[in-house]
Amino acid sequence: MLATVALEYKQTEFELEQDEELTFDLFKTWQNILHLRTQYGYEDGHSFHLGINLVAEGKIGRQFDQQTPIQAYSIRQKGIHSIQLGWLKNFIVENPDRLSSLSFEIVGNPQAASDKNAALGGADLIARYLFTFLNSWGEIFGDLKMEYRGDKRIRRGDGEEMKIRHLSSIGPSAGYKYRYESFYAFGLLGFQLNTGYQATSPSYNRTTDHGFATQVKLGVGYQRPKWMLELDAIVVTELYNKDAADFANLDNVEFEFETPYNFNLTYSWLF
Amino acid sequence: MALLKLTLLCLALLLSSQSEAGALATIGSDLASPVTTPARYILVGGVVATSLAYATRTHRTYRKRETFGDAKPLGDLGFIGDYIGYGALNLGYMGLAYWYGEYYDDADSRLNAELMMRATSYTFTLTMIGKNLISERRPGYPDDDQSFPSGHASASFAFASVVTARHGWGWGSLAHAMAGFITVSRVNDDFHYLHDILAGITIGASYGWGVHYNAQKGRNLWFSLLPVERGGLGFALGTQF
């Protein structure tokens, strides 16, 4: 059985940028999340895992550029971020230096949004094919990930409830992990294509027809036979193709979600 | 009718006895290879991914861009994928592998050319059947109803799969990068929805790996047409186990 405790700090910006300066519709989320997860191998090559993610301290708010006369607001977010349940199958192959596995995961948030808590809602489904090629220096690793993100409802600090329509995404990632005795360092690049993002609230309606995301992940770790400690940082940028009808008179507008800061400290041990 | 039945019977017997496998048997085995070989995992995963993308598709306001400068994610570079995605990679590989096989008397190279031809042919046929049966309008070009599935995606991933299966993941990674660029360019330029290209990838990769597995382990399925009583035609299907 494998247990994992992880601390995550995440900041995400949802924004429309014009000429990379003037910002519209900006809201940000700041979250400190505690992840607790256990993985149990019940048969050779098979395992399932159960996790709960708690927002220790979170906030959804809106800042504004000095050029933009937008009212600032914020609302706290606390409690259960999500619960995840998954299953993983390792494929047995003839070459022990080539590992591959298939995993399915469902992630849901049972907490409803309220005036005092901007909980995210909805359920996500994630399917991944993971691969690892080992060599004497380290390993090439990555995955092909398909994700369905269910409908979300976010209560904003200005009293409005924003609904985000479900969407799906698919894409690969690949990276290299360098090992030196018990230490390792790794870098990972990811790309995915998304179906359209649509968000509605009483004051605005944002529609797109498709998008894409890029991800860069860097990390270092220390691994022993029974435990490991890892620190990583992730930067994600999601860009969507704005609907021409919606933004007919706004040239050079970028519809962008950015996660500039996402740090994770993870400790796992076998027992 | 009797003459037709006799002709079909002779044709079936002739094709089945042409080679060790028989042309018709090979076609039958190849056509079924996405189901009868380990390529079935690609097929199942691809069908699930395509279904999810279809279920989450968004309403599109049809448009024709004058410029693609702000298109996501490739901007105005999508035309490169458009040009090379019309089977140029498949044909180039076939020609080069066949020439190399003939010039250096290399049977493996001739087999590579044959497998690329087989994978591309089945992929092309199924893709065209899908386009004409389903008649989905393209997102940016509503006058054109050949959106589903993507022919560029299916052809380029048939190419990448055969290259990977025959030459390993070193060349395969390069081939997949090219196939990925071609495929993404089709969404970038509003020729396809996400579910169109996922269906194309599924078809191309299934047949690319399917014909490779068939070549590795021999045919495991055959079919033939047979005349039957009362003026009908029969379809016989067999497998080895």
Side-chain angles (χ1 to χ4, degrees), chain B residues 136-184:
Chain B
E136 182 185 47
R137 294 190 298 171
R138 293 189 189 275
Y141 307 91
D143 297 338
D144 186 340
D145 63 358
Q146 302 271 296
S147 189
F148 185 93
S150 163
H152 279 63
S154 64
S156 59
F157 270 84
F159 161 78
S161 302
V162 172
V163 169
T164 306
R166 305 301 295 178
H167 303 285
W169 275 102
W171 287 107
S173 300
L174 184 62
H176 273 90
M178 294 168 77
F181 177 82
I182 291 168
T183 300
V184 170

Side-chain angles (χ1 to χ4, degrees), chain B residues 10-61:
Chain B
C10 291
L11 186 64
L13 289 171
L14 180 70
L15 286 171
S16 298
S17 62
Q18 281 295 301
S19 62
E20 187 190 345
L24 204 60
T26 303
I27 291 171
S29 188
D30 279 352
L31 278 175
S33 63
V35 178
T36 59
T37 68
R40 71 177 74 91
Y41 297 113
I42 297 170
L43 180 67
V44 171
V47 168
V48 171
T50 304
S51 305
L52 273 178
Y54 182 77
T56 54
R57 72 195 186 284
T58 48
H59 170 73
R60 172 72 72 103
T61 305

